[in-house]
Amino acid sequence: MMLEVKNLTKYYDISGGLMSRLSAGLKLLKAVDHIGFSVPEGKTFGLVGESGCGKSTTARLITRLIPATEGEVFFQGRDILRLPKREMRELRRHVQMIFQDPYASLNPRMRIIEVVGRPLSHFQGLKGRKRRDRAAELLDLVGLRPEQLDRYPHEFSGGQRQRIGIARALAAGPKLIIADEPVSSLDVSVQAQVLNLLKKLQRELKLSLIFISHDLNVVGYLADIVAVMYAGKIMEIAPVAQIFNAPLNPYTKALLASNPTVGSYMETVRSPLKGEVPLPVNPPSGCRLEPRCPIRVDRCKTIEPMLEEKRTLHRVACHEV
Ligand code: ADP
Ligand code: MG
């Protein structure tokens, strides 16, 4: 396995000041709550769920952009969350991120040669001509032209900026890339191009990819394995064909039924089930889906369903399947 995530958890204390704490008690927002999954070498692992379900938090925990409340993240056997600083630096090379917003994630004062060149010198020790040549190769690889190296980010379109973001991630020489909604802020017309590029690069470079999106269709296009998240929990994990052809969890079924078109993140994310997506603040002990679930029974209120293998390689958290 390239990556094994175990019991990964992030709670935010949102109790507020001392007075509200005294009157209302501790309020914990359980953004990511004891989740686990594995990412095989050279495969794409898709993470899907409605806005606010904990996808980005999961990505930030794995890359140690934020500290975990609990859990382990094994990268090729070593627990990332407990690595000392020096080893963490080496690890940063191997685990790279592509962010949602290609406008915010590129420094407007840096020419592209610097954006892509920094990881080349930092992680690969390349300098001068060699660095420039490699940066040009990377630009070519993501469908841009080498002569664009001396331009600034504002001279590029959204789709081109995301290509630069991909080149920057590749420059480090990673084994695993985490792409968090990489096309959600792009025009619909360029989303497919960037998705095709990611798919091609993942295959050709034999990368492991964690691909995150709120859109099941988009995830289905890239992923080998899909995990469906809801309110901080994983509800179902299965090979992509199983998710689309034989989903078991009622939430996955609802996501499929709502059949969202490949659309922009700016559109309202429509909820596939009746009722609101609950904020997991001091959630009850049972299933998070229970208030909205079409097949709920009494014990769903009080007993949390664990992810269990119901079919080969197909794990589901639901008492009723
Ligand atoms: P997603 O990426 O799936 O849309 P996020 O991982 O960004 O969801 O957020 C999961 C939940 O955690 C949301 O309810 C969000 O409001 C909450 N959250 C994220 N960051 C913080 C924070 N720094 N403080 C408090 N709550 C947070
Ligand atoms: Mg997010």
Side-chain angles (χ1 to χ4, degrees):
M1 281 297 160
M2 182 61 71
L3 193 82
E4 282 184 270
V5 171
K6 292 184 178 164
N7 286 319
L8 191 60
T9 299
K10 182 70 183 181
Y11 293 165
Y12 288 107
D13 182 353
I14 55 162
S15 315
L18 180 64
M19 288 319 286
S20 50
R21 219 176 267 240
L22 287 175
S23 60
L26 189 64
K27 268 202 226 158
L28 283 183
L29 190 152
K30 302 192 169 182
V32 171
D33 200 1
H34 295 90
I35 66 166
F37 58 86
S38 303
V39 183
E41 269 172 50
K43 298 283 184 197
T44 298
F45 182 88
L47 191 57
V48 68
E50 288 162 286
S51 178
C53 72
K55 306 181 296 298
S56 294
T57 303
T58 302
R60 289 187 201 116
L61 289 169
I62 293 172
T63 49
R64 270 177 73 167
L65 289 174
I66 54 171
T69 305
E70 207 185 313
E72 289 109 47
V73 177
F74 294 99
F75 177 77
Q76 298 191 311
R78 288 197 308 167
D79 186 359
I80 291 180
L81 303 188
R82 279 151 197 91
L83 278 186
K85 270 221 177 88
R86 188 147 32 92
E87 288 168 64
M88 196 54 211
R89 186 169 171 246
E90 171 66 12
L91 188 111
R92 292 229 179 273
R93 174 189 166 185
H94 294 304
V95 183
Q96 286 286 309
M97 266 194 85
I98 298 168
F99 297 94
Q100 175 174 339
D101 185 349
Y103 289 86
S105 64
L106 294 180
N107 183 336
R109 288 168 211 276
M110 273 164 74
R111 292 174 200 267
I112 304 314
I113 176 64
E114 270 181 83
V115 172
V116 180
R118 271 198 181 179
L120 287 176
S121 36
H122 189 73
F123 295 112
Q124 316 267 19
L126 294 181
K127 290 190 189 78
R129 190 76 236 170
K130 281 198 175 142
R131 184 175 94 135
R132 196 175 170 86
D133 287 349
R134 179 65 188 139
E137 270 174 32
L138 286 166
L139 240 55
D140 184 53
L141 195 62
V142 299
L144 295 170
R145 295 192 315 279
E147 57 269 28
Q148 292 174 313
L149 274 177
D150 293 309
R151 304 231 175 118
Y152 287 95
H154 76 260
E155 298 175 64
F156 294 89
S157 68
Q160 289 175 321
R161 284 180 203 216
Q162 200 53 298
R163 289 173 191 267
I164 295 165
I166 295 169
R168 172 177 59 187
L170 293 176
K175 293 179 176 163
L176 172 71
I177 288 184
I178 305 180
D180 186 3
E181 307 255 16
V183 300
S184 302
S185 65
L186 302 180
D187 285 345
V188 177
S189 57
V190 298
Q191 287 186 359
Q193 296 167 15
V194 175
L195 288 175
N196 281 330
L197 174 67
L198 267 176
K199 190 168 180 152
K200 175 176 149 263
L201 291 172
Q202 183 273 326
R203 286 198 178 154
E204 286 176 2
L205 305 173
K206 298 187 174 63
L207 295 166
S208 300
L209 175 66
I210 298 180
F211 182 87
I212 297 174
S213 174
H214 65 277
D215 188 328
L216 188 54
N217 286 336
V218 170
V219 168
Y221 179 66
L222 273 121
D224 299 295
I225 304 161
V226 175
V228 178
M229 265 188 104
Y230 183 81
K233 288 280 183 185
I234 290 180
M235 309 304 279
E236 181 159 12
I237 303 185
V240 63
Q242 299 272 91
I243 292 285
F244 279 83
N245 301 327
L248 292 174
N249 190 285
Y251 181 64
T252 311
K253 290 182 182 176
L255 268 186
L256 280 162
S258 74
N259 193 28
T261 49
V262 179
S264 137
Y265 190 78
M266 305 315 283
E267 288 173 30
T268 348
V269 181
R270 261 209 232 131
S271 181
L273 288 169
K274 290 201 176 77
E276 296 288 306
V277 183
L279 263 188
V281 179
N282 295 346
S285 55
C287 178
R288 300 257 164 110
L289 188 64
E290 188 273 338
R292 302 170 79 198
C293 184
I295 60 166
R296 66 177 177 254
V297 292
D298 279 350
R299 64 183 164 156
C300 303
K301 260 201 172 71
T302 48
I303 305 168
E304 189 189 326
M306 294 292 130
L307 263 185
E308 280 173 34
E309 188 151 353
K310 306 271 177 168
R311 291 189 198 141
T312 315
L313 299 176
H314 191 155
R315 293 191 295 148
V316 189
C318 180
H319 292 307
E320 289 297 290
V321 297

